[in-house]
Short mmCIF file of all heavy atoms in Angstrom, two decimals:
data_model
loop_
_atom_site.label_atom_id
_atom_site.label_comp_id
_atom_site.label_asym_id
_atom_site.label_seq_id
_atom_site.Cartn_x
_atom_site.Cartn_y
_atom_site.Cartn_z
N LEU A 209 120.28 -16.58 50.28
CA LEU A 209 119.49 -15.77 49.36
C LEU A 209 120.34 -15.12 48.27
O LEU A 209 119.82 -14.69 47.24
CB LEU A 209 118.73 -14.69 50.13
CG LEU A 209 117.71 -15.21 51.16
CD1 LEU A 209 117.28 -14.08 52.10
CD2 LEU A 209 116.50 -15.80 50.45
N LYS A 210 121.64 -15.06 48.50
CA LYS A 210 122.55 -14.44 47.54
C LYS A 210 123.10 -15.44 46.52
O LYS A 210 123.90 -15.07 45.66
CB LYS A 210 123.70 -13.77 48.29
CG LYS A 210 123.26 -12.75 49.32
CD LYS A 210 124.43 -12.26 50.17
CE LYS A 210 123.98 -11.31 51.26
NZ LYS A 210 125.10 -10.87 52.13
N ASN A 211 122.67 -16.70 46.64
CA ASN A 211 123.21 -17.76 45.80
C ASN A 211 122.20 -18.16 44.74
O ASN A 211 121.08 -18.55 45.05
CB ASN A 211 123.58 -18.96 46.69
CG ASN A 211 124.40 -20.00 45.96
OD1 ASN A 211 124.02 -20.45 44.89
ND2 ASN A 211 125.53 -20.36 46.55
N ILE A 212 122.58 -18.12 43.47
CA ILE A 212 121.68 -18.44 42.36
C ILE A 212 121.26 -19.91 42.39
O ILE A 212 120.13 -20.26 42.01
CB ILE A 212 122.34 -18.09 41.00
CG1 ILE A 212 121.34 -18.34 39.84
CG2 ILE A 212 123.61 -18.89 40.80
CD1 ILE A 212 120.10 -17.51 39.90
N GLU A 213 122.16 -20.80 42.87
CA GLU A 213 121.81 -22.22 42.94
C GLU A 213 120.65 -22.43 43.92
O GLU A 213 119.71 -23.20 43.64
CB GLU A 213 123.02 -23.05 43.38
CG GLU A 213 122.73 -24.55 43.38
CD GLU A 213 123.95 -25.37 43.81
OE1 GLU A 213 125.03 -24.80 44.02
OE2 GLU A 213 123.79 -26.60 43.93
N PHE A 214 120.69 -21.73 45.04
CA PHE A 214 119.62 -21.83 46.03
C PHE A 214 118.30 -21.32 45.45
O PHE A 214 117.25 -21.95 45.62
CB PHE A 214 119.99 -21.03 47.28
CG PHE A 214 118.90 -21.00 48.33
CD1 PHE A 214 118.66 -22.10 49.13
CD2 PHE A 214 118.11 -19.87 48.49
CE1 PHE A 214 117.65 -22.08 50.09
CE2 PHE A 214 117.10 -19.84 49.44
CZ PHE A 214 116.87 -20.95 50.25
N GLU A 215 118.37 -20.20 44.74
CA GLU A 215 117.17 -19.65 44.11
C GLU A 215 116.57 -20.66 43.12
O GLU A 215 115.34 -20.86 43.09
CB GLU A 215 117.50 -18.35 43.40
CG GLU A 215 116.27 -17.70 42.73
CD GLU A 215 116.66 -16.48 41.92
OE1 GLU A 215 117.28 -16.66 40.85
OE2 GLU A 215 116.34 -15.36 42.36
N ASN A 216 117.43 -21.30 42.33
CA ASN A 216 116.96 -22.28 41.35
C ASN A 216 116.32 -23.49 42.02
O ASN A 216 115.31 -24.02 41.53
CB ASN A 216 118.11 -22.74 40.45
CG ASN A 216 118.52 -21.66 39.46
OD1 ASN A 216 117.72 -20.80 39.09
ND2 ASN A 216 119.78 -21.69 39.04
N ILE A 217 116.89 -23.94 43.12
CA ILE A 217 116.33 -25.08 43.84
C ILE A 217 114.94 -24.75 44.37
O ILE A 217 114.00 -25.55 44.24
CB ILE A 217 117.26 -25.52 45.00
CG1 ILE A 217 118.55 -26.13 44.44
CG2 ILE A 217 116.55 -26.52 45.91
CD1 ILE A 217 119.59 -26.46 45.50
N VAL A 218 114.78 -23.57 44.96
CA VAL A 218 113.49 -23.16 45.50
C VAL A 218 112.46 -23.05 44.37
O VAL A 218 111.30 -23.46 44.52
CB VAL A 218 113.60 -21.84 46.28
CG1 VAL A 218 112.22 -21.34 46.70
CG2 VAL A 218 114.49 -22.01 47.50
N GLU A 219 112.89 -22.49 43.24
CA GLU A 219 111.99 -22.37 42.09
C GLU A 219 111.52 -23.74 41.63
O GLU A 219 110.34 -23.94 41.33
CB GLU A 219 112.70 -21.64 40.95
CG GLU A 219 111.81 -21.32 39.74
CD GLU A 219 111.76 -22.45 38.72
OE1 GLU A 219 112.63 -23.35 38.78
OE2 GLU A 219 110.84 -22.44 37.89
N ASN A 220 112.44 -24.70 41.56
CA ASN A 220 112.08 -26.05 41.15
C ASN A 220 111.16 -26.73 42.16
O ASN A 220 110.27 -27.49 41.79
CB ASN A 220 113.34 -26.90 40.94
CG ASN A 220 113.91 -26.76 39.55
OD1 ASN A 220 113.61 -27.54 38.65
ND2 ASN A 220 114.73 -25.74 39.35
N LEU A 221 111.37 -26.43 43.43
CA LEU A 221 110.48 -26.98 44.46
C LEU A 221 109.05 -26.50 44.25
O LEU A 221 108.09 -27.26 44.43
CB LEU A 221 110.96 -26.56 45.85
CG LEU A 221 112.12 -27.36 46.46
CD1 LEU A 221 112.54 -26.74 47.80
CD2 LEU A 221 111.73 -28.82 46.67
N ILE A 222 108.90 -25.24 43.88
CA ILE A 222 107.56 -24.70 43.63
C ILE A 222 106.90 -25.44 42.47
O ILE A 222 105.71 -25.78 42.52
CB ILE A 222 107.63 -23.19 43.33
CG1 ILE A 222 108.03 -22.42 44.59
CG2 ILE A 222 106.28 -22.68 42.82
CD1 ILE A 222 108.27 -20.94 44.37
N VAL A 223 107.68 -25.71 41.41
CA VAL A 223 107.14 -26.43 40.25
C VAL A 223 106.69 -27.84 40.66
O VAL A 223 105.56 -28.26 40.37
CB VAL A 223 108.17 -26.51 39.12
CG1 VAL A 223 107.67 -27.42 38.00
CG2 VAL A 223 108.48 -25.12 38.58
N TYR A 224 107.59 -28.56 41.34
CA TYR A 224 107.27 -29.93 41.75
C TYR A 224 106.06 -29.98 42.67
O TYR A 224 105.17 -30.84 42.52
CB TYR A 224 108.49 -30.55 42.46
CG TYR A 224 109.47 -31.22 41.53
CD1 TYR A 224 110.38 -30.47 40.80
CD2 TYR A 224 109.51 -32.60 41.39
CE1 TYR A 224 111.30 -31.07 39.95
CE2 TYR A 224 110.43 -33.22 40.55
CZ TYR A 224 111.32 -32.44 39.83
OH TYR A 224 112.22 -33.04 39.00
N LYS A 225 106.01 -29.07 43.63
CA LYS A 225 104.91 -29.11 44.60
C LYS A 225 103.61 -28.57 44.00
O LYS A 225 102.52 -28.95 44.45
CB LYS A 225 105.31 -28.35 45.86
CG LYS A 225 106.35 -29.16 46.65
CD LYS A 225 106.89 -28.46 47.87
CE LYS A 225 107.93 -29.35 48.54
NZ LYS A 225 108.59 -28.70 49.70
N SER A 226 103.71 -27.75 42.97
CA SER A 226 102.50 -27.32 42.25
C SER A 226 101.89 -28.51 41.51
O SER A 226 100.66 -28.67 41.47
CB SER A 226 102.83 -26.20 41.27
OG SER A 226 103.22 -25.03 41.95
N LEU A 227 102.74 -29.35 40.92
CA LEU A 227 102.26 -30.55 40.24
C LEU A 227 101.64 -31.52 41.24
O LEU A 227 100.63 -32.17 40.95
CB LEU A 227 103.41 -31.23 39.49
CG LEU A 227 103.96 -30.44 38.29
CD1 LEU A 227 105.22 -31.11 37.75
CD2 LEU A 227 102.92 -30.33 37.19
N LEU A 228 102.26 -31.62 42.42
CA LEU A 228 101.71 -32.49 43.46
C LEU A 228 100.36 -31.95 43.94
O LEU A 228 99.41 -32.71 44.17
CB LEU A 228 102.68 -32.58 44.64
CG LEU A 228 102.23 -33.44 45.83
CD1 LEU A 228 101.93 -34.87 45.39
CD2 LEU A 228 103.29 -33.42 46.93
N LEU A 229 100.28 -30.63 44.08
CA LEU A 229 99.02 -30.00 44.49
C LEU A 229 97.92 -30.28 43.46
O LEU A 229 96.76 -30.56 43.82
CB LEU A 229 99.22 -28.50 44.65
CG LEU A 229 97.99 -27.66 45.03
CD1 LEU A 229 97.40 -28.13 46.36
CD2 LEU A 229 98.36 -26.18 45.11
N ASP A 230 98.29 -30.25 42.19
CA ASP A 230 97.32 -30.54 41.12
C ASP A 230 96.79 -31.97 41.25
O ASP A 230 95.59 -32.21 41.06
CB ASP A 230 97.99 -30.35 39.76
CG ASP A 230 97.05 -30.64 38.61
OD1 ASP A 230 96.08 -29.89 38.43
OD2 ASP A 230 97.29 -31.63 37.89
N ARG A 231 97.67 -32.91 41.59
CA ARG A 231 97.25 -34.30 41.79
C ARG A 231 96.30 -34.41 42.98
O ARG A 231 95.31 -35.16 42.94
CB ARG A 231 98.46 -35.21 42.00
CG ARG A 231 99.40 -35.31 40.81
CD ARG A 231 98.72 -35.95 39.63
NE ARG A 231 99.63 -36.11 38.51
CZ ARG A 231 99.28 -36.51 37.31
NH1 ARG A 231 98.02 -36.76 37.06
NH2 ARG A 231 100.17 -36.62 36.34
N HIS A 232 96.61 -33.69 44.03
CA HIS A 232 95.73 -33.69 45.21
C HIS A 232 94.34 -33.17 44.84
O HIS A 232 93.32 -33.73 45.28
CB HIS A 232 96.32 -32.81 46.32
CG HIS A 232 97.34 -33.52 47.17
ND1 HIS A 232 98.61 -33.78 46.74
CD2 HIS A 232 97.26 -34.02 48.43
CE1 HIS A 232 99.28 -34.41 47.69
NE2 HIS A 232 98.48 -34.56 48.73
N GLU A 233 94.31 -32.11 44.07
CA GLU A 233 93.02 -31.51 43.71
C GLU A 233 92.20 -32.42 42.80
O GLU A 233 90.97 -32.45 42.88
CB GLU A 233 93.25 -30.14 43.07
CG GLU A 233 93.73 -29.12 44.11
CD GLU A 233 94.12 -27.78 43.51
OE1 GLU A 233 94.39 -27.75 42.29
OE2 GLU A 233 94.19 -26.79 44.27
N LYS A 234 92.87 -33.18 41.93
CA LYS A 234 92.16 -34.15 41.10
C LYS A 234 91.57 -35.27 41.97
O LYS A 234 90.45 -35.74 41.75
CB LYS A 234 93.09 -34.74 40.04
CG LYS A 234 93.32 -33.83 38.84
CD LYS A 234 94.19 -34.51 37.81
CE LYS A 234 94.22 -33.72 36.50
NZ LYS A 234 94.66 -32.34 36.64
N CYS A 235 92.36 -35.70 42.96
CA CYS A 235 91.89 -36.75 43.86
C CYS A 235 90.70 -36.28 44.69
O CYS A 235 89.73 -37.03 44.87
CB CYS A 235 93.02 -37.20 44.79
SG CYS A 235 94.16 -38.40 44.06
#
Side-chain angles (χ1 to χ4, degrees):
L209 298 166
K210 303 172 184 177
N211 192 307
I212 184 62
E213 184 180 356
F214 176 76
E215 181 185 72
N216 287 334
I217 291 174
V218 174
E219 186 272 344
N220 274 266
L221 280 175
I222 291 174
V223 172
Y224 272 79
K225 288 176 181 176
S226 293
L227 293 172
L228 179 58
L229 178 59
D230 180 66
R231 296 296 183 188
H232 276 75
E233 289 174 340
K234 281 183 170 57
C235 278

